[in-house]
Amino acid sequence: MTHRHPQHYEERGLSQLPVIVGMGGVNAAGRTSGHQAFRRTILDALPDTLQAQTILALAAMMQLVTRLEDGAWQDAHGEILDAADVVSRYRQHVLDHTLIRRIEDERFGSEGIPANRAAQLDLDDALTFRVRRRQLPNDLPPTWQVRDIDKRMVEVVVPPGSLNVLLPERRSAQVRSAGQLPSGFAPETLYRSVHHPRGLSMTIFGASDCLGQSGLDWSALRNRLDPDAIAVYAGNSIGQLDNEGWGGLLQSFVGGGRATSKQMPLGYGQMPADFLNAYVLGSVGATGAVLGACASFLYNLRLGLEDIRSGRRRVVMVGTSDAPITPEIVEGFRTMGALADDESLKALDALTLLTDSDYQRACRPFARNCGFTIAESTQFLLLMDDALALETGAQILGAVPDVFVNADGWKRSISAPGIGNYITLAKSVSLARDMLGEDSVRHRSYLHAHGTSTPKNRTTESHVFDMVARTHGIEAWPVAAIKAFVGHSQGGAAGDQLASALGTFAHGVIPGIATLDAVADDVHAERLRFFRDPLPFEADATFINAKGFGGNNATGLVISPAATERLLAKRHGQRAVDDWKHRREATLAASQTYLETADSGRFEVTYRFGEGVLEGPELSMTRDALHIPGFDRPVSLTVDNPYGQL
């Protein structure tokens, strides 16, 4: 069913404006809600009180300290500290164990990655060994002689000749830097996770963080709408490839293990959406995921925008959750020549040994660089149509009028750059110019670059930016490249960028490219503004850019809260906006309560396993409506017929 626009929209030929009413997640910089992760990327530019608040909240998140009921803090040794003591004692630890850094997974350490090497043994004499009966192959080679020793053990004699074996070994990790979640933060410990892949545990946290930050009562919001007026579009670019997902499944035979009943279903790339519907939101509305490599977040966002603009849905949660820091995925990208491996980093700076500080500088967008830095992240947005946002008193963190997607056309290779990104960015800027005016685009907009830190990207993406800037008369377009801090989270990359953009709108500062010692000679920088230190900037709009592997290009236009309010006043009238601000007070108070709790390291994660389960017989149906227990309103079964009648 199409959920109709308000009458004045139809009369004026306008669409609903998709606005952002909630955000949540976590990446290497910290928690998304309350702009915690954003503040970590501009830490030195913040006032002292806000710096201390950020460090304190991160220390709690990283389980370095626990807040007591009287407001004091206790560390792991039981010592009681005040807030100032916590900041003084743990500041450097927080700085060293957030953002890009040396990989902390022991598999990437000095002992090396567990592996096997195929070998052929030439036996001059018979080989005799003992083994447990259950460890014997199902199909024994016909030349093997097996003798029972007892109920559990057997003796095997292998005659002289050739024997194929796998010899266990440890392989040194060739890539040792990544954008990991803050040390000590374990999303799987916050709820009853049972063999959940890391990406799905991150999904549960990210969506819960989004709902908490929104300040909205989800049950009340859901019950005021047709259940089919809600949608969820969430996924990732690769699927779940750790041991609890498809990684463990695919390794089971070769590694001598056993597949579990959960590895196959939990590995699917759309599983974040499935988890949200089943365990967080209880939604029966539209669902799905679009996989578009590094542009996946924007692809899913586009689905949500189209639903809201058309009136098909009124509330949509969109997002991604990627956890690709596994030896196999890292090795796959390394063999492509895409990652900044240790040897390349040494060569880049003429070093013989890499230190922790060198790993922290691994990602260098638009500078002399040698490859991207892999990362994990989960990011979610809660979207509404603007009429419902005003009606419910929701926060409005910004608006996303559109996301443009174009392919590259004919390509030299599947990984080579192409022309699609010129189209997506140019369309986004044209829309911003039409909505906000040329002055806003020229002087109060900035770019959130894909900025991967590969030599190819720095040239091709900067040329896209340069051509569009010249076309629109932009002389010094500021460029942010958030991957310098948090790395490249694959399908979630644009989510990291968008979360950062919302932070810029709130704080009036664009993060600098901290690893940019100098702009590389092959960067088209004449009309672009690159900077290392945070830049004070009052933005009306930003352009979230993604250049995905295989030609998956996307650019999203995001409008600031202030500019959105001006649009709302024009669309609905100033009185409607004033009434909304009054209703919003309760929402802001609820959001602040959640943020204060989260800053103390206590997270209210929603995970409702087995609650309210319905299988069909509980429903009641008429020709026009389906009634679902637990929902105040029925699902309308009246649908539009755009094709006419015989």
Side-chain angles (χ1 to χ4, degrees):
M1 173 191 177
T2 296
H3 304 275
R4 298 287 188 181
H5 303 309
Q7 184 65 32
H8 70 277
Y9 282 167
E10 294 185 351
E11 291 172 354
R12 298 167 61 192
L14 297 177
S15 295
Q16 302 273 34
L17 177 65
V19 296
I20 302 169
V21 301
M23 64 173 189
V26 61
N27 61 20
R31 201 182 74 241
T32 302
S33 64
H35 306 296
Q36 182 196 76
F38 173 79
R39 294 200 309 266
R40 174 65 183 89
T41 66
I42 61 163
L43 191 67
D44 292 339
L46 295 173
D48 290 345
T49 54
L50 204 49
Q51 285 193 42
Q53 179 184 333
T54 303
I55 294 295
L56 190 62
L58 282 168
M61 182 181 193
M62 297 163 68
Q63 301 185 52
L64 299 172
V65 292
T66 302
R67 189 168 188 175
L68 305 177
E69 291 185 2
D70 62 1
W73 298 84
Q74 185 176 43
D75 67 11
H77 305 291
E79 185 175 353
I80 305 301
L81 306 169
D82 62 23
D85 290 335
V86 173
V87 173
S88 174
R89 181 173 300 185
Y90 290 106
R91 179 186 177 95
Q92 194 58 49
H93 183 92
V94 168
L95 298 184
D96 290 343
H97 294 276
T98 53
L99 307 185
I100 291 172
R101 58 197 186 276
R102 185 194 296 265
I103 297 177
E104 293 163 351
D105 187 323
E106 62 183 13
R107 292 174 297 179
F108 291 83
S110 57
E111 291 188 3
I113 300 168
N116 291 299
R117 186 174 295 275
Q120 185 181 71
L121 305 184
D122 293 327
L123 304 178
D124 294 332
D125 299 311
L127 173 66
T128 302
F129 60 89
R130 294 182 177 185
V131 67
R132 289 185 178 182
R133 185 186 305 275
R134 64 182 179 85
Q135 293 177 326
L136 282 174
N138 288 333
D139 296 321
L140 288 173
T143 58
W144 284 20
Q145 300 174 22
V146 180
R147 181 179 66 84
D148 291 340
I149 296 176
D150 54 36
K151 291 183 179 180
R152 291 191 308 164
M153 301 295 293
V154 297
E155 181 182 84
V156 179
V157 178
V158 180
S162 296
L163 177 64
N164 293 322
V165 298
L166 291 176
L167 301 178
E169 66 172 347
R170 293 274 180 169
R171 297 182 184 176
S172 297
Q174 298 184 61
V175 176
R176 287 189 173 89
S177 59
Q180 305 151 95
L181 301 190
S183 300
F185 176 69
E188 69 276 7
T189 66
L190 302 177
Y191 70 102
R192 191 168 59 89
S193 66
V194 182
H195 305 297
H196 288 172
R198 183 169 175 83
L200 299 185
S201 294
M202 289 162 52
T203 295
I204 295 295
F205 176 81
S208 300
D209 190 46
C210 181
L211 291 178
Q213 187 277 332
S214 75
L216 298 168
D217 182 331
W218 176 253
S219 295
L221 176 62
R222 189 185 70 172
N223 283 332
R224 73 187 295 157
L225 300 173
D226 181 326
D228 202 24
I230 298 169
V232 174
Y233 299 118
N236 50 43
S237 63
I238 299 176
Q240 285 64 242
L241 288 181
D242 51 4
N243 285 334
E244 289 73 25
W246 281 351
L249 177 73
L250 297 177
Q251 295 171 6
S252 59
F253 281 178
V254 175
R258 182 180 300 175
T260 73
S261 62
K262 294 186 177 183
Q263 287 170 325
M264 183 69 225
L266 296 188
Y268 280 102
Q270 90 286 345
M271 194 53 59
D274 298 345
F275 256 51
L276 296 191
N277 293 322
Y279 306 128
V280 180
L281 303 177
S283 176
V284 299
T287 186
V290 178
L291 279 61
C294 313
S296 293
F297 183 93
L298 288 180
Y299 279 27
N300 286 291
L301 179 58
R302 186 185 187 210
L303 286 180
L305 302 183
E306 290 176 345
D307 270 6
I308 288 177
R309 291 194 316 175
S310 68
R312 285 191 298 269
R313 319 289 167 195
R314 305 203 68 186
V315 177
V316 183
M317 181 172 278
V318 300
T320 50
S321 186
D322 281 88
I325 308 176
T326 71
E328 296 81 9
I329 295 177
V330 169
E331 178 61 12
F333 280 119
R334 187 198 68 80
T335 57
M336 286 174 56
L339 287 182
D341 60 29
D342 284 21
E343 292 305 314
S344 298
L345 287 173
K346 290 177 186 176
L348 194 63
D349 292 334
L351 300 172
T352 56
L353 182 68
L354 294 175
T355 65
D356 286 347
S357 62
D358 295 316
Y359 286 119
Q360 292 166 354
R361 297 184 63 255
C363 184
R364 307 175 190 183
F366 303 105
R368 289 180 59 252
N369 50 40
C370 59
F372 76 78
T373 302
I374 203 162
E376 56 187 356
S377 170
T378 182
Q379 299 292 348
F380 285 92
L381 296 180
L382 189 62
L383 305 172
M384 274 187 189
D385 68 61
D386 54 337
L388 182 61
L390 294 181
E391 178 186 325
T392 57
Q395 298 181 73
I396 295 180
L397 306 174
V400 192
D402 211 341
V403 170
F404 297 95
V405 172
N406 289 91
D408 280 339
W410 303 111
K411 296 171 73 69
R412 183 172 293 106
S413 72
I414 200 65
S415 61
I419 63 172
N421 196 206
Y422 292 89
I423 305 172
T424 64
L425 181 61
K427 285 185 175 181
S428 296
V429 174
S430 292
L431 177 59
R433 181 197 61 205
D434 290 347
M435 292 184 68
L436 305 175
E438 288 198 11
D439 188 64
S440 282
V441 170
R442 288 180 179 177
H443 304 293
R444 292 189 299 280
S445 76
Y446 74 102
L447 294 158
H448 248 290
H450 192 55
T452 58
S453 184
T454 63
K456 206 63 158 174
N457 171 265
R458 73 190 186 213
T459 303
T460 58
E461 190 172 22
S462 65
H463 189 264
V464 174
F465 293 167
D466 177 79
M467 179 174 286
V468 175
R470 289 178 184 276
T471 301
H472 289 272
I474 303 171
E475 296 181 353
W477 217 355
V479 179
I482 197 67
K483 289 181 181 65
F485 297 98
V486 299
H488 190 350
S489 57
Q490 304 307 295
D496 292 330
Q497 293 164 248
L498 207 155
S500 178
L502 298 181
T504 289
F505 293 151
H507 288 275
V509 177
I510 303 174
I513 306 175
T515 55
L516 184 71
D517 294 332
V519 177
D521 293 340
D522 54 2
V523 170
H524 300 268
E526 183 178 342
R527 288 177 176 262
L528 306 179
R529 185 177 181 184
F530 294 103
F531 43 94
R532 288 192 61 184
D533 298 323
L535 175 70
F537 193 82
E538 295 300 325
D540 284 345
T542 187
F543 303 96
I544 309 297
N545 202 51
K547 289 172 65 67
F549 178 85
N552 291 280
N553 304 281
T555 308
L557 167 62
V558 185
I559 296 176
S560 73
T564 301
E565 282 191 28
R566 296 196 296 270
L567 285 171
L568 294 177
K570 187 172 182 179
R571 289 163 60 85
H572 299 272
Q574 188 58 47
R575 179 167 182 176
V577 172
D578 292 340
D579 291 344
W580 159 69
K581 289 181 178 179
H582 178 71
R583 288 189 289 270
R584 185 183 58 174
E585 291 177 2
T587 307
L588 292 174
S591 177
Q592 185 59 34
T593 298
Y594 168 80
L595 294 176
E596 289 174 357
T597 301
D599 277 351
S600 69
R602 297 191 298 273
F603 300 108
E604 300 172 359
V605 172
T606 300
Y607 182 69
R608 297 174 179 169
F609 178 80
E611 296 183 21
V613 176
L614 302 173
E615 297 183 353
E618 309 90 344
L619 308 179
S620 61
M621 185 184 297
T622 67
R623 294 177 65 175
D624 298 322
L626 176 68
H627 296 266
I628 306 174
F631 291 80
D632 286 0
R633 296 186 58 178
V635 176
S636 172
L637 301 180
T638 302
V639 297
D640 291 334
N641 174 13
Y643 308 107
Q645 188 175 20
L646 288 176

